[in-house]
């Protein structure tokens, strides 16, 4: 095969695989149950085809012999009974589409029947051999139900039960000269290709296999769901209990591997945090000494620039440590009223930015959610305060001092929308601004470009609580930061 042909074959295989993976059901449980049901149906269809092609003659011959044995037995009983007892016996013998009558003359066979087949001959020959000597027989057979077309109408109240059947009119002359006339009428129309009992049997099997598959496969895939939930929780916050190591061998090995991976990642993050904390602590001491010595630097303009650089280094160290801690907060959760927390942050923000020369007037409006349920949720109080504070500071700094805050409830989620009237963001920066140390304003001036960690810290905290932060430009101008948090914290958060 040429390389081009191999490439085309690989593309076709990939396309087919992609198409099959996109078809419902999407879950492993649904696909296993579907495979079991399709397998049962395929086996049943093959079995029916085999019975029709190979076992049909045997089935039809058995039907003909059984009908002949039943009719011969009834004739022998009537022949042995007293004439006055025969009507009562006939009432007990008649059932379904069968009818029995006594007559002094043989039944007329002038109505032409359907052309006899081999099974009709088996019926007549077997019946003749079962009757006693001296019992005369006249017989017309309409054929096996599966092998003939249209049927005469059934007797009143007769319904098609879907079984194999045979139609006949038989007259048997009893020893006292009376004729017993036996009639069995087939239902009108063609018989179904697959009898109704077989369809019911197939239906019950499919239902049984589907229910059993749902229970068994659900039980077998439960550890996989636990593994997926654990991975999701671990991605949001590194503090969680180890995954239970039980179940089948493959599941236990996967849980053990996950727990080992979790321990290694946690150790790496802890070592990184300790390293950065140590660096920060070791750097703060010389920075403090340099800050004290800077007071002796002349001239004054150089001293002020030198002090400003040292303050920026000190602030950057603190911010970096805050960013590391935001990815692995071990603070205990508690009930937090978000509206009350925002009111406190708004007052602090107003006090901080009021009266500064060259800064626009700060106007912050807060709309809390209504209802007695208020806006309470389970969260880490200090971490959530840092998250909201960073978003509010970002809106005040870049939004021209005009900020609108709205708290909304949506089922089990609580959202906080912080809107400003600033210039907004270029669309290709809406997600990029959450990257650590990224600044839309690329200068090193912290008053205009910031440290590039505020939004990263806020999103880390939100995701650690099971929520997220998104940014969107408003049609009327400005930017909206939307924080969505679940009322119940994640396990292990």
């Amino acid at each position: 095969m040429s390389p081009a042909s191999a490439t085309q074959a690989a593309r076709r295989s990939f396309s087919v695989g992609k198409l099959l993976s996109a078809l419902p059901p999407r879950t492993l449980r649904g696909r296993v149950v579907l495979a079991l049901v399709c397998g049962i149906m395929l086996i049943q269809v093959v079995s029916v085809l085999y019975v029709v092609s190979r076992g049909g003659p045997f089935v039809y011959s058995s039907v003909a012999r059984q009908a002949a044995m039943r009719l011969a037995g009834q004739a022998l009983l009537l022949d042995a009974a007293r004439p006055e007892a025969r009507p009562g016996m006939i009432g007990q013998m008649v059932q379904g589409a069968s009818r029995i009558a006594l007559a002094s003359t043989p039944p007329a066979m002038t109505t032409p029947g359907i052309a006899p087949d081999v099974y009709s001959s088996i019926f007549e020959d077997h019946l003749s051999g079962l009757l006693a000597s001296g019992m005369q027989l006249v017989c017309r057979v309409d054929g096996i139900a599966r092998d003939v077309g249209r049927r005469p109408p059934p007797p009143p109240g007769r319904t098609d039960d879907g079984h194999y059947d045979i139609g006949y009119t038989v007259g048997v002359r009893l020893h006292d000269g009376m004729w017993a006339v036996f009639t069995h009428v087939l239902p009108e129309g063609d018989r179904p290709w697959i009898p109704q009992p077989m369809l019911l049997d197939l239906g019950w099997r499919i239902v049984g296999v589907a229910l059993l598959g749902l229970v068994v496969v659900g039980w077998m895939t439960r550890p996989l769901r636990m593994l997926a939930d654990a991975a999701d929780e671990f991605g949001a916050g590194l503090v969680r209990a180890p995954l239970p190591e039980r179940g089948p061998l493959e599941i236990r090995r996967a849980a053990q591997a996950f727990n080992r991976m979790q321990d290694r990642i946690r150790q790496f993050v802890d070592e990184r945090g300790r390293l950065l904390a140590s660096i920060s602590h070791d750097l703060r001491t010389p920075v403090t000494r340099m800050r004290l010595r800077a007071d002796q630097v002349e001239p004054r303009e150089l001293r002020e620039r030198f002090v400003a650089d040292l303050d920026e280094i000190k602030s950057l160290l603190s911010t970096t440590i805050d960013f590391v801690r935001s990815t692995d907060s071990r603070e205990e959760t508690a009930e937090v009223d978000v509206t009350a927390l925002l009111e406190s942050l708004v007052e602090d923000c107003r006090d901080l930015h009021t009266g500064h020369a060259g800064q626009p007037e700060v106007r912050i409006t807060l709309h809390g959610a209504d209802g007695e349920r208020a806006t309470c949720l389970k969260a880490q109080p200090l971490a959530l305060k840092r998250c909201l504070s960073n978003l509010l500071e970002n809106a005040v700094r870049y939004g021209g001092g005009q900020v609108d805050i709205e708290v909304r409830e949506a089922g089990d989620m609580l959202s906080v929308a912080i809107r400003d009237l600033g210039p907004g963001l270029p669309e290709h920066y809406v997600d990029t601004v959450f990257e650590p140390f990224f600044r839309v304003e690329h200068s090193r001036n912290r008053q205009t470009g910031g440290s590039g960690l505020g939004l990263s810290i806020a999103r880390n905290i939100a995701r650690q609580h099971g929520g997220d932060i998104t940014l969107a430009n408003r049609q009327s101008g400005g930017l909206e930061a939307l924080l969505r948090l679940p009322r119940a914290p994640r396990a292990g958060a």
Side-chain angles (χ1 to χ4, degrees):
M1 182 183 291
S2 65
S5 301
T7 303
Q8 291 178 357
R11 286 178 179 174
R12 284 196 299 269
S13 175
F14 176 74
S15 300
V16 172
K18 244 179 121 177
L19 177 62
L20 292 177
S21 63
L23 293 176
R26 306 296 295 275
T27 63
L28 178 61
R29 177 194 289 190
R31 292 184 177 183
V32 172
V33 171
L34 179 62
L36 291 175
V37 169
C38 291
I40 289 294
M41 293 181 65
L42 180 61
I43 292 173
Q44 195 77 4
V45 169
V46 172
S47 300
V48 170
L49 292 176
Y50 177 80
V51 168
V52 171
S53 61
R54 298 286 184 178
F58 172 77
V59 172
Y60 303 152
S61 299
S62 299
V63 171
R65 288 188 175 91
Q66 289 174 6
M69 290 175 62
R70 181 175 65 252
L71 191 149
Q74 292 172 345
L76 292 173
L77 287 174
L78 290 174
D79 184 60
R82 295 191 303 273
E84 63 272 12
R86 288 172 182 169
M89 295 177 63
I90 290 175
Q92 296 178 358
M93 292 178 181
V94 172
Q95 58 181 355
S98 298
R99 288 176 288 183
I100 304 175
L102 295 174
S104 58
T105 58
M109 297 293 178
T110 56
T111 303
I114 298 174
D117 52 27
V118 63
Y119 309 112
S120 303
S121 300
I122 292 175
F123 171 78
E124 188 171 354
D125 293 343
H126 197 60
L127 178 59
S128 299
L130 293 173
L131 294 176
S133 59
M135 299 178 70
Q136 185 180 350
L137 172 67
V138 292
C139 181
R140 188 192 81 212
V141 181
D142 293 333
I144 297 293
R146 282 292 302 273
D147 290 348
V148 296
R150 301 293 296 178
R151 305 290 188 273
R158 170 64 174 164
T159 57
D160 185 3
D161 57 6
H163 291 284
Y164 294 100
D165 216 339
I166 186 172
Y168 52 79
T169 299
V170 175
V172 179
R173 185 177 183 276
L174 307 180
H175 283 94
D176 61 359
M178 293 295 294
W179 285 83
V181 181
F182 300 87
T183 307
H184 187 83
V185 182
L186 293 173
E188 184 179 8
D190 298 333
R191 283 301 182 92
W193 187 73
I194 300 179
Q196 184 179 0
M198 191 175 293
L199 290 176
L200 292 176
D201 177 69
L202 175 61
W204 282 114
R205 290 188 187 188
I206 291 176
V207 171
V209 169
L211 292 177
L212 183 63
L214 287 173
V215 174
V216 174
V217 179
W219 169 69
M220 294 178 64
T221 56
R222 183 172 178 270
L224 297 179
R225 296 195 301 272
M226 293 176 59
L227 180 61
D229 293 340
D232 192 30
E233 293 171 6
F234 185 66
L238 300 181
V239 184
R240 71 169 315 279
L243 196 64
E245 298 176 2
R246 58 174 181 265
L249 176 61
E250 294 81 2
I251 298 298
R252 291 202 305 270
R253 292 182 59 185
Q256 292 168 359
F258 178 83
N259 289 334
R260 289 194 298 268
M261 178 200 69
Q262 181 175 258
D263 290 339
R264 287 195 294 267
I265 293 178
R266 187 181 293 114
Q267 290 175 7
F268 169 76
V269 172
D270 290 342
E271 290 174 359
R272 184 190 66 171
R274 287 193 295 270
L275 176 63
L276 289 175
S278 177
I279 292 175
S280 175
H281 179 271
D282 292 343
L283 286 177
R284 280 174 179 171
T285 301
V287 167
T288 302
R289 289 198 302 265
M290 294 173 66
R291 178 69 174 78
L292 294 175
R293 293 169 183 170
D295 293 337
Q296 304 175 6
V297 174
E298 295 292 343
R300 178 179 177 182
E301 293 79 7
L302 179 62
R303 180 172 68 248
E304 290 178 350
R305 289 199 299 270
F306 195 60
V307 170
D309 289 340
L310 291 175
D311 289 342
E312 183 175 351
I313 292 174
K314 188 174 181 181
S315 176
L316 186 59
L317 288 173
S318 299
T319 307
T320 303
I321 295 299
D322 291 338
F323 172 73
V324 174
R325 289 173 178 171
S326 70
T327 62
D328 183 25
S329 176
R330 300 176 189 268
E331 182 186 358
E332 294 293 331
T333 61
E335 191 81 12
V336 179
D337 188 339
V338 176
T339 301
L341 178 59
L342 283 169
E343 290 174 350
S344 174
L345 291 175
V346 167
E347 290 298 325
D348 294 342
C349 188
R350 285 172 179 160
D351 293 342
L352 180 64
H353 292 277
T354 298
H356 288 196
Q359 284 198 3
E361 181 183 0
V362 175
R363 294 181 181 177
I364 304 176
T365 57
L366 174 61
H367 310 283
D370 297 328
E372 297 181 358
R373 193 180 180 191
T375 54
C376 296
L377 54 79
K378 287 282 188 178
Q380 297 169 334
L382 295 180
L384 182 59
K385 180 179 181 180
R386 181 63 185 271
C387 174
L388 293 172
S389 176
N390 285 4
L391 294 177
L392 184 57
E393 286 289 337
N394 199 69
V396 171
R397 176 179 295 176
Y398 303 107
Q402 310 295 312
V403 180
D404 180 79
I405 305 174
E406 182 181 3
V407 184
R408 296 193 299 261
E409 295 179 277
D412 293 333
M413 300 293 292
L414 189 70
S415 64
V416 179
I418 300 179
R419 309 181 185 96
D420 60 51
L421 297 178
L425 283 174
E427 289 297 329
H428 58 281
Y429 282 159
V430 169
D431 290 325
T432 312
V433 291
F434 289 103
E435 296 178 3
F437 299 105
F438 178 83
R439 301 176 183 177
V440 178
E441 201 279 317
H442 296 286
S443 72
R444 305 304 297 175
N445 186 351
R446 288 176 52 83
Q447 298 300 321
T448 58
S451 65
L453 288 175
L455 289 176
S456 301
I457 293 173
R459 173 172 272 189
N460 286 341
I461 295 173
R463 289 181 171 177
Q464 197 170 32
H465 284 77
D468 204 354
I469 297 175
T470 56
L471 298 179
N473 289 307
R474 302 171 60 195
Q475 293 183 352
S476 58
L479 189 70
E480 178 185 82
L482 182 63
L483 168 64
R484 299 181 74 251
L485 296 172
R487 289 189 177 276
R490 286 182 179 270

